[in-house]
Amino acid sequence: KLTLVRLLKQQGEVVAVTGDGTNDAPALKESDVGLAMGIAGTEVAKEAADIVILDDNFSSIVKSVLWGRAVFTNIRKFLMFQLTVNFVALVISFFGAVIGGQEPLNVLQLLWVNMIMDTMGALALATEDPTPELLLMKPYGRNESLINVTMWKHILVQGCYQLFVLFFILYAVPNMISRYNLTSKSDYFLNNCDDRLVNHHGYPASNATFICGVLNYCGFPYGDRYSQNSYACPIYNGTLFSPNEIIAVCGYNATVTVVSSCDKYDMVKAAQKNLNSDFTDFHSDEYITPLSLLFNAFILCQVFNEINARRINDEYTIFSGFFSNHIFLTVIFVTIVLQAMIVNVPGLNDKIFKVNRLNWQEWLVSIALGIASIPSVSQLASSPGISEALSVYVARASKRTVTVPCPGGRFPEDPFPDGLCQGGPYAKGAGGKAVDRERIGREEEERQVDPVCHY
């Protein structure tokens, strides 16, 4: 037994050994997984083993394998879900703040996302019971990666889908739907200048009229000072005034070239600074409406992404056992209820999470965007083209040979010299030509020789 274990391990195999006697102890200790009998086994064998079968029933080994695979698969599910949320939240937060100047997700919203990702996600995905289909999976090799190519594919496809939806809401929706329209800075200055300066900053009405005329009609910064109808600009006297803002506002003779400032100019610049600050606050408040839709859509995308994450190997059975998993259903229900409270309960929405209450149409859109991730992502993620492209990339990056689907045509070139079409009806024939595996099998069966396909 010890010799067999050593030889198999030298060939890269993962070796499990069962034993009950003292003479089995060396093989049990040398193996990757040693299983000793709990009733008939000696104490020496039990000490050398990794697992003790308490009832001496070999079917218990199957249960241990099943639970081991379930734990490993559940960890993978959780990682796939968590990496997707992290990827999307990082990209949308960074580019939203850098490009648009607005934080798509504030601190408390990110805290809620983190709670969904860590606590809720772990409860939902890491507590799923094992299913018999886990035993149909091929054994994991010694060097099996925790995150495989298929998982990266799902992370990228789901992440890109969510980013498309969120960037569309962030940048396209405000320009397409009147409810989410944003006021430009020039329009804000034109429509609110007098009111803000007189009623909020205490400027005299005459000064406010002069300041707003300069800011909105003289080209400093808004309006066209070269326009024929320039009398709305209070410093226009029938001819073009100096392009120097200080000289134009202070009214100095054009021959004077060095002017540092004057009371009028200082007053205009101070008022402009106040209006800029007012616009920043106004713009942030105005942006809350589209950002509320973005936040709600993002959370609901994660809810349905949890359902997607229940399968990690391109299966279409994501709803298999869904309604019998009470912990998963409870987590989904609690997440949706809490999200509804965050968005709709006064005081909780506007004071704490800084979101506006959404109407029923916006809720339907958010739910539809979340549900759409299931068919779209499943179809794209199971696409042979995406699978093959990622497999080729990973193989070239890691300098190792992998097998890829090849429905017809020739096999890929290096690094696939001995590749076999994985899960497909084609095998590698002479000259690298992809040929029908079933036909080869029938021909070889008739000749009663070994098949040319290898597994």
Side-chain angles (χ1 to χ4, degrees), residues 166-186:
L166 299 181
F167 278 124
F168 185 83
I169 295 174
L170 186 61
Y171 294 115
V173 168
N175 298 320
M176 297 172 59
I177 303 175
S178 58
R179 172 176 167 80
Y180 307 101
N181 286 161
L182 303 175
T183 304
S184 66
K185 193 172 184 179
S186 59

Side-chain angles (χ1 to χ4, degrees), residues 42 49 67 121 123 156 161 187 194 346 390 392 406:
T42 63
W67 277 97
L123 285 173
L156 291 176
Y161 167 78
D187 288 339
D194 285 299
L390 282 172
V392 169
C406 47

Side-chain angles (χ1 to χ4, degrees), residues 82-92 155-156 158-160 163:
Q82 189 177 50
L83 288 175
T84 303
V85 181
N86 274 325
F87 168 60
V88 176
L90 178 65
V91 173
I92 191 66
I155 291 169
L156 291 176
Q158 176 69 244
C160 290
L163 287 174

Side-chain angles (χ1 to χ4, degrees), residues 185-201:
K185 193 172 184 179
S186 59
D187 288 339
Y188 178 81
F189 270 55
L190 184 63
N191 298 324
N192 299 278
C193 181
D194 285 299
D195 176 65
R196 298 299 302 181
L197 292 181
V198 174
N199 297 324
H200 296 273
H201 297 290

